[in-house]
mmCIF file with all atom_site columns, all heavy atoms in Angstrom:
data_model
loop_
_atom_site.group_PDB
_atom_site.id
_atom_site.type_symbol
_atom_site.label_atom_id
_atom_site.label_alt_id
_atom_site.label_comp_id
_atom_site.label_asym_id
_atom_site.label_entity_id
_atom_site.label_seq_id
_atom_site.pdbx_PDB_ins_code
_atom_site.Cartn_x
_atom_site.Cartn_y
_atom_site.Cartn_z
_atom_site.occupancy
_atom_site.B_iso_or_equiv
_atom_site.pdbx_formal_charge
_atom_site.auth_seq_id
_atom_site.auth_comp_id
_atom_site.auth_asym_id
_atom_site.auth_atom_id
_atom_site.pdbx_PDB_model_num
ATOM 1   N N   . ARG A 1 59  ? 127.523 125.107 181.590 1.00 94.00 ? 688 ARG A N   1
ATOM 2   C CA  . ARG A 1 59  ? 127.590 125.029 180.129 1.00 94.00 ? 688 ARG A CA  1
ATOM 3   C C   . ARG A 1 59  ? 128.876 124.363 179.609 1.00 94.00 ? 688 ARG A C   1
ATOM 4   O O   . ARG A 1 59  ? 129.036 124.187 178.411 1.00 94.00 ? 688 ARG A O   1
ATOM 5   C CB  . ARG A 1 59  ? 127.469 126.438 179.520 1.00 94.00 ? 688 ARG A CB  1
ATOM 6   C CG  . ARG A 1 59  ? 126.232 127.171 180.033 1.00 94.00 ? 688 ARG A CG  1
ATOM 7   C CD  . ARG A 1 59  ? 125.735 128.199 179.064 1.00 94.00 ? 688 ARG A CD  1
ATOM 8   N NE  . ARG A 1 59  ? 126.440 129.459 179.127 1.00 94.00 ? 688 ARG A NE  1
ATOM 9   C CZ  . ARG A 1 59  ? 126.042 130.542 178.454 1.00 94.00 ? 688 ARG A CZ  1
ATOM 10  N NH1 . ARG A 1 59  ? 124.991 130.489 177.673 1.00 94.00 ? 688 ARG A NH1 1
ATOM 11  N NH2 . ARG A 1 59  ? 126.710 131.652 178.546 1.00 94.00 ? 688 ARG A NH2 1
ATOM 12  N N   . ILE A 1 60  ? 129.777 124.008 180.535 1.00 94.00 ? 689 ILE A N   1
ATOM 13  C CA  . ILE A 1 60  ? 131.059 123.398 180.134 1.00 94.00 ? 689 ILE A CA  1
ATOM 14  C C   . ILE A 1 60  ? 131.382 122.261 181.096 1.00 94.00 ? 689 ILE A C   1
ATOM 15  O O   . ILE A 1 60  ? 131.177 122.411 182.307 1.00 94.00 ? 689 ILE A O   1
ATOM 16  C CB  . ILE A 1 60  ? 132.196 124.449 180.245 1.00 94.00 ? 689 ILE A CB  1
ATOM 17  C CG1 . ILE A 1 60  ? 131.990 125.612 179.276 1.00 94.00 ? 689 ILE A CG1 1
ATOM 18  C CG2 . ILE A 1 60  ? 133.564 123.806 180.099 1.00 94.00 ? 689 ILE A CG2 1
ATOM 19  C CD1 . ILE A 1 60  ? 132.752 125.563 177.998 1.00 94.00 ? 689 ILE A CD1 1
ATOM 20  N N   . ALA A 1 61  ? 131.869 121.136 180.585 1.00 96.00 ? 690 ALA A N   1
ATOM 21  C CA  . ALA A 1 61  ? 132.348 120.057 181.452 1.00 96.00 ? 690 ALA A CA  1
ATOM 22  C C   . ALA A 1 61  ? 133.586 119.432 180.821 1.00 96.00 ? 690 ALA A C   1
ATOM 23  O O   . ALA A 1 61  ? 133.601 119.184 179.610 1.00 96.00 ? 690 ALA A O   1
ATOM 24  C CB  . ALA A 1 61  ? 131.260 118.997 181.635 1.00 96.00 ? 690 ALA A CB  1
ATOM 25  N N   . GLU A 1 62  ? 134.623 119.194 181.644 1.00 96.00 ? 691 GLU A N   1
ATOM 26  C CA  . GLU A 1 62  ? 135.823 118.522 181.115 1.00 96.00 ? 691 GLU A CA  1
ATOM 27  C C   . GLU A 1 62  ? 135.553 117.034 180.992 1.00 96.00 ? 691 GLU A C   1
ATOM 28  O O   . GLU A 1 62  ? 134.822 116.451 181.800 1.00 96.00 ? 691 GLU A O   1
ATOM 29  C CB  . GLU A 1 62  ? 137.011 118.756 182.039 1.00 96.00 ? 691 GLU A CB  1
ATOM 30  C CG  . GLU A 1 62  ? 137.730 120.046 181.724 1.00 96.00 ? 691 GLU A CG  1
ATOM 31  C CD  . GLU A 1 62  ? 139.097 120.143 182.384 1.00 96.00 ? 691 GLU A CD  1
ATOM 32  O OE1 . GLU A 1 62  ? 139.873 119.176 182.325 1.00 96.00 ? 691 GLU A OE1 1
ATOM 33  O OE2 . GLU A 1 62  ? 139.364 121.208 182.960 1.00 96.00 ? 691 GLU A OE2 1
ATOM 34  N N   . THR A 1 63  ? 136.153 116.400 179.990 1.00 97.00 ? 692 THR A N   1
ATOM 35  C CA  . THR A 1 63  ? 136.035 114.950 179.808 1.00 97.00 ? 692 THR A CA  1
ATOM 36  C C   . THR A 1 63  ? 137.437 114.392 179.577 1.00 97.00 ? 692 THR A C   1
ATOM 37  O O   . THR A 1 63  ? 138.389 115.165 179.437 1.00 97.00 ? 692 THR A O   1
ATOM 38  C CB  . THR A 1 63  ? 135.171 114.608 178.576 1.00 97.00 ? 692 THR A CB  1
ATOM 39  O OG1 . THR A 1 63  ? 135.878 115.048 177.402 1.00 97.00 ? 692 THR A OG1 1
ATOM 40  C CG2 . THR A 1 63  ? 133.812 115.274 178.619 1.00 97.00 ? 692 THR A CG2 1
ATOM 41  N N   . THR A 1 64  ? 137.542 113.070 179.511 1.00 96.00 ? 693 THR A N   1
ATOM 42  C CA  . THR A 1 64  ? 138.830 112.472 179.176 1.00 96.00 ? 693 THR A CA  1
ATOM 43  C C   . THR A 1 64  ? 139.219 112.931 177.770 1.00 96.00 ? 693 THR A C   1
ATOM 44  O O   . THR A 1 64  ? 138.459 112.719 176.824 1.00 96.00 ? 693 THR A O   1
ATOM 45  C CB  . THR A 1 64  ? 138.714 110.931 179.208 1.00 96.00 ? 693 THR A CB  1
ATOM 46  O OG1 . THR A 1 64  ? 138.086 110.563 180.433 1.00 96.00 ? 693 THR A OG1 1
ATOM 47  C CG2 . THR A 1 64  ? 140.078 110.279 179.101 1.00 96.00 ? 693 THR A CG2 1
ATOM 48  N N   . SER A 1 65  ? 140.354 113.599 177.654 1.00 96.00 ? 694 SER A N   1
ATOM 49  C CA  . SER A 1 65  ? 140.858 114.084 176.350 1.00 96.00 ? 694 SER A CA  1
ATOM 50  C C   . SER A 1 65  ? 139.876 114.982 175.604 1.00 96.00 ? 694 SER A C   1
ATOM 51  O O   . SER A 1 65  ? 139.786 114.909 174.376 1.00 96.00 ? 694 SER A O   1
ATOM 52  C CB  . SER A 1 65  ? 141.227 112.910 175.442 1.00 96.00 ? 694 SER A CB  1
ATOM 53  O OG  . SER A 1 65  ? 142.291 112.203 175.990 1.00 96.00 ? 694 SER A OG  1
ATOM 54  N N   . GLY A 1 66  ? 139.137 115.780 176.319 1.00 97.00 ? 695 GLY A N   1
ATOM 55  C CA  . GLY A 1 66  ? 138.253 116.698 175.611 1.00 97.00 ? 695 GLY A CA  1
ATOM 56  C C   . GLY A 1 66  ? 137.350 117.474 176.550 1.00 97.00 ? 695 GLY A C   1
ATOM 57  O O   . GLY A 1 66  ? 137.617 117.578 177.748 1.00 97.00 ? 695 GLY A O   1
ATOM 58  N N   . MET A 1 67  ? 136.277 118.005 175.992 1.00 97.00 ? 696 MET A N   1
ATOM 59  C CA  . MET A 1 67  ? 135.312 118.762 176.803 1.00 97.00 ? 696 MET A CA  1
ATOM 60  C C   . MET A 1 67  ? 133.925 118.694 176.164 1.00 97.00 ? 696 MET A C   1
ATOM 61  O O   . MET A 1 67  ? 133.787 118.422 174.972 1.00 97.00 ? 696 MET A O   1
ATOM 62  C CB  . MET A 1 67  ? 135.752 120.230 176.910 1.00 97.00 ? 696 MET A CB  1
ATOM 63  C CG  . MET A 1 67  ? 135.788 120.959 175.580 1.00 97.00 ? 696 MET A CG  1
ATOM 64  S SD  . MET A 1 67  ? 136.219 122.713 175.743 1.00 97.00 ? 696 MET A SD  1
ATOM 65  C CE  . MET A 1 67  ? 134.643 123.392 176.240 1.00 97.00 ? 696 MET A CE  1
ATOM 66  N N   . LEU A 1 68  ? 132.921 118.927 177.021 1.00 96.00 ? 697 LEU A N   1
ATOM 67  C CA  . LEU A 1 68  ? 131.549 119.045 176.533 1.00 96.00 ? 697 LEU A CA  1
ATOM 68  C C   . LEU A 1 68  ? 131.118 120.494 176.709 1.00 96.00 ? 697 LEU A C   1
ATOM 69  O O   . LEU A 1 68  ? 131.468 121.119 177.716 1.00 96.00 ? 697 LEU A O   1
ATOM 70  C CB  . LEU A 1 68  ? 130.613 118.166 177.355 1.00 96.00 ? 697 LEU A CB  1
ATOM 71  C CG  . LEU A 1 68  ? 130.675 116.657 177.140 1.00 96.00 ? 697 LEU A CG  1
ATOM 72  C CD1 . LEU A 1 68  ? 129.965 115.947 178.283 1.00 96.00 ? 697 LEU A CD1 1
ATOM 73  C CD2 . LEU A 1 68  ? 130.034 116.275 175.804 1.00 96.00 ? 697 LEU A CD2 1
ATOM 74  N N   . ASN A 1 69  ? 130.363 121.034 175.742 1.00 94.00 ? 698 ASN A N   1
ATOM 75  C CA  . ASN A 1 69  ? 129.786 122.357 175.965 1.00 94.00 ? 698 ASN A CA  1
ATOM 76  C C   . ASN A 1 69  ? 128.342 122.379 175.500 1.00 94.00 ? 698 ASN A C   1
ATOM 77  O O   . ASN A 1 69  ? 127.949 121.640 174.596 1.00 94.00 ? 698 ASN A O   1
ATOM 78  C CB  . ASN A 1 69  ? 130.612 123.450 175.259 1.00 94.00 ? 698 ASN A CB  1
ATOM 79  C CG  . ASN A 1 69  ? 130.130 123.734 173.852 1.00 94.00 ? 698 ASN A CG  1
ATOM 80  O OD1 . ASN A 1 69  ? 129.177 124.488 173.647 1.00 94.00 ? 698 ASN A OD1 1
ATOM 81  N ND2 . ASN A 1 69  ? 130.760 123.099 172.860 1.00 94.00 ? 698 ASN A ND2 1
ATOM 82  N N   . THR A 1 192 ? 130.704 119.535 166.864 1.00 95.00 ? 821 THR A N   1
ATOM 83  C CA  . THR A 1 192 ? 130.868 118.656 168.035 1.00 95.00 ? 821 THR A CA  1
ATOM 84  C C   . THR A 1 192 ? 129.973 117.418 167.958 1.00 95.00 ? 821 THR A C   1
ATOM 85  O O   . THR A 1 192 ? 128.930 117.417 167.307 1.00 95.00 ? 821 THR A O   1
ATOM 86  C CB  . THR A 1 192 ? 130.550 119.435 169.324 1.00 95.00 ? 821 THR A CB  1
ATOM 87  O OG1 . THR A 1 192 ? 129.254 120.003 169.186 1.00 95.00 ? 821 THR A OG1 1
ATOM 88  C CG2 . THR A 1 192 ? 131.564 120.525 169.575 1.00 95.00 ? 821 THR A CG2 1
ATOM 89  N N   . GLY A 1 213 ? 128.027 119.153 173.412 1.00 94.00 ? 842 GLY A N   1
ATOM 90  C CA  . GLY A 1 213 ? 128.850 118.784 172.257 1.00 94.00 ? 842 GLY A CA  1
ATOM 91  C C   . GLY A 1 213 ? 130.267 118.461 172.685 1.00 94.00 ? 842 GLY A C   1
ATOM 92  O O   . GLY A 1 213 ? 130.923 119.257 173.355 1.00 94.00 ? 842 GLY A O   1
ATOM 93  N N   . LEU A 1 214 ? 130.753 117.284 172.286 1.00 96.00 ? 843 LEU A N   1
ATOM 94  C CA  . LEU A 1 214 ? 132.105 116.838 172.632 1.00 96.00 ? 843 LEU A CA  1
ATOM 95  C C   . LEU A 1 214 ? 133.106 117.366 171.604 1.00 96.00 ? 843 LEU A C   1
ATOM 96  O O   . LEU A 1 214 ? 132.880 117.257 170.391 1.00 96.00 ? 843 LEU A O   1
ATOM 97  C CB  . LEU A 1 214 ? 132.148 115.306 172.656 1.00 96.00 ? 843 LEU A CB  1
ATOM 98  C CG  . LEU A 1 214 ? 133.483 114.649 173.024 1.00 96.00 ? 843 LEU A CG  1
ATOM 99  C CD1 . LEU A 1 214 ? 133.878 114.956 174.475 1.00 96.00 ? 843 LEU A CD1 1
ATOM 100 C CD2 . LEU A 1 214 ? 133.416 113.139 172.800 1.00 96.00 ? 843 LEU A CD2 1
ATOM 101 N N   . SER A 1 215 ? 134.214 117.926 172.109 1.00 97.00 ? 844 SER A N   1
ATOM 102 C CA  . SER A 1 215 ? 135.280 118.429 171.223 1.00 97.00 ? 844 SER A CA  1
ATOM 103 C C   . SER A 1 215 ? 136.620 118.114 171.852 1.00 97.00 ? 844 SER A C   1
ATOM 104 O O   . SER A 1 215 ? 136.690 117.603 172.966 1.00 97.00 ? 844 SER A O   1
ATOM 105 C CB  . SER A 1 215 ? 135.121 119.941 171.043 1.00 97.00 ? 844 SER A CB  1
ATOM 106 O OG  . SER A 1 215 ? 135.248 120.601 172.299 1.00 97.00 ? 844 SER A OG  1
ATOM 107 N N   . GLY A 1 216 ? 137.701 118.438 171.140 1.00 98.00 ? 845 GLY A N   1
ATOM 108 C CA  . GLY A 1 216 ? 139.049 118.200 171.660 1.00 98.00 ? 845 GLY A CA  1
ATOM 109 C C   . GLY A 1 216 ? 139.644 116.903 171.128 1.00 98.00 ? 845 GLY A C   1
ATOM 110 O O   . GLY A 1 216 ? 139.038 116.230 170.276 1.00 98.00 ? 845 GLY A O   1
ATOM 111 N N   . ALA A 1 218 ? 139.752 113.927 171.882 1.00 98.00 ? 847 ALA A N   1
ATOM 112 C CA  . ALA A 1 218 ? 138.927 112.709 171.871 1.00 98.00 ? 847 ALA A CA  1
ATOM 113 C C   . ALA A 1 218 ? 138.221 112.512 170.532 1.00 98.00 ? 847 ALA A C   1
ATOM 114 O O   . ALA A 1 218 ? 137.945 111.373 170.136 1.00 98.00 ? 847 ALA A O   1
ATOM 115 C CB  . ALA A 1 218 ? 137.901 112.766 172.997 1.00 98.00 ? 847 ALA A CB  1
ATOM 116 N N   . THR A 1 265 ? 139.100 123.772 170.460 1.00 98.00 ? 894 THR A N   1
ATOM 117 C CA  . THR A 1 265 ? 139.303 123.552 171.896 1.00 98.00 ? 894 THR A CA  1
ATOM 118 C C   . THR A 1 265 ? 140.722 123.883 172.364 1.00 98.00 ? 894 THR A C   1
ATOM 119 O O   . THR A 1 265 ? 140.905 124.375 173.485 1.00 98.00 ? 894 THR A O   1
ATOM 120 C CB  . THR A 1 265 ? 138.941 122.080 172.226 1.00 98.00 ? 894 THR A CB  1
ATOM 121 O OG1 . THR A 1 265 ? 137.569 121.892 171.867 1.00 98.00 ? 894 THR A OG1 1
ATOM 122 C CG2 . THR A 1 265 ? 139.112 121.765 173.698 1.00 98.00 ? 894 THR A CG2 1
ATOM 123 N N   . LEU A 1 268 ? 141.122 127.134 173.973 1.00 97.00 ? 897 LEU A N   1
ATOM 124 C CA  . LEU A 1 268 ? 140.556 127.319 175.317 1.00 97.00 ? 897 LEU A CA  1
ATOM 125 C C   . LEU A 1 268 ? 141.529 126.811 176.379 1.00 97.00 ? 897 LEU A C   1
ATOM 126 O O   . LEU A 1 268 ? 141.582 127.324 177.490 1.00 97.00 ? 897 LEU A O   1
ATOM 127 C CB  . LEU A 1 268 ? 139.210 126.586 175.429 1.00 97.00 ? 897 LEU A CB  1
ATOM 128 C CG  . LEU A 1 268 ? 138.150 127.013 174.394 1.00 97.00 ? 897 LEU A CG  1
ATOM 129 C CD1 . LEU A 1 268 ? 136.867 126.219 174.601 1.00 97.00 ? 897 LEU A CD1 1
ATOM 130 C CD2 . LEU A 1 268 ? 137.862 128.495 174.472 1.00 97.00 ? 897 LEU A CD2 1
#
Side-chain angles (χ1 to χ4, degrees):
R688 307 206 278 188
I689 296 261
E691 274 194 47
T692 67
T693 311
S694 295
M696 63 177 280
L697 287 165
N698 91 82
T821 54
L843 181 65
S844 62
T894 300
L897 303 180

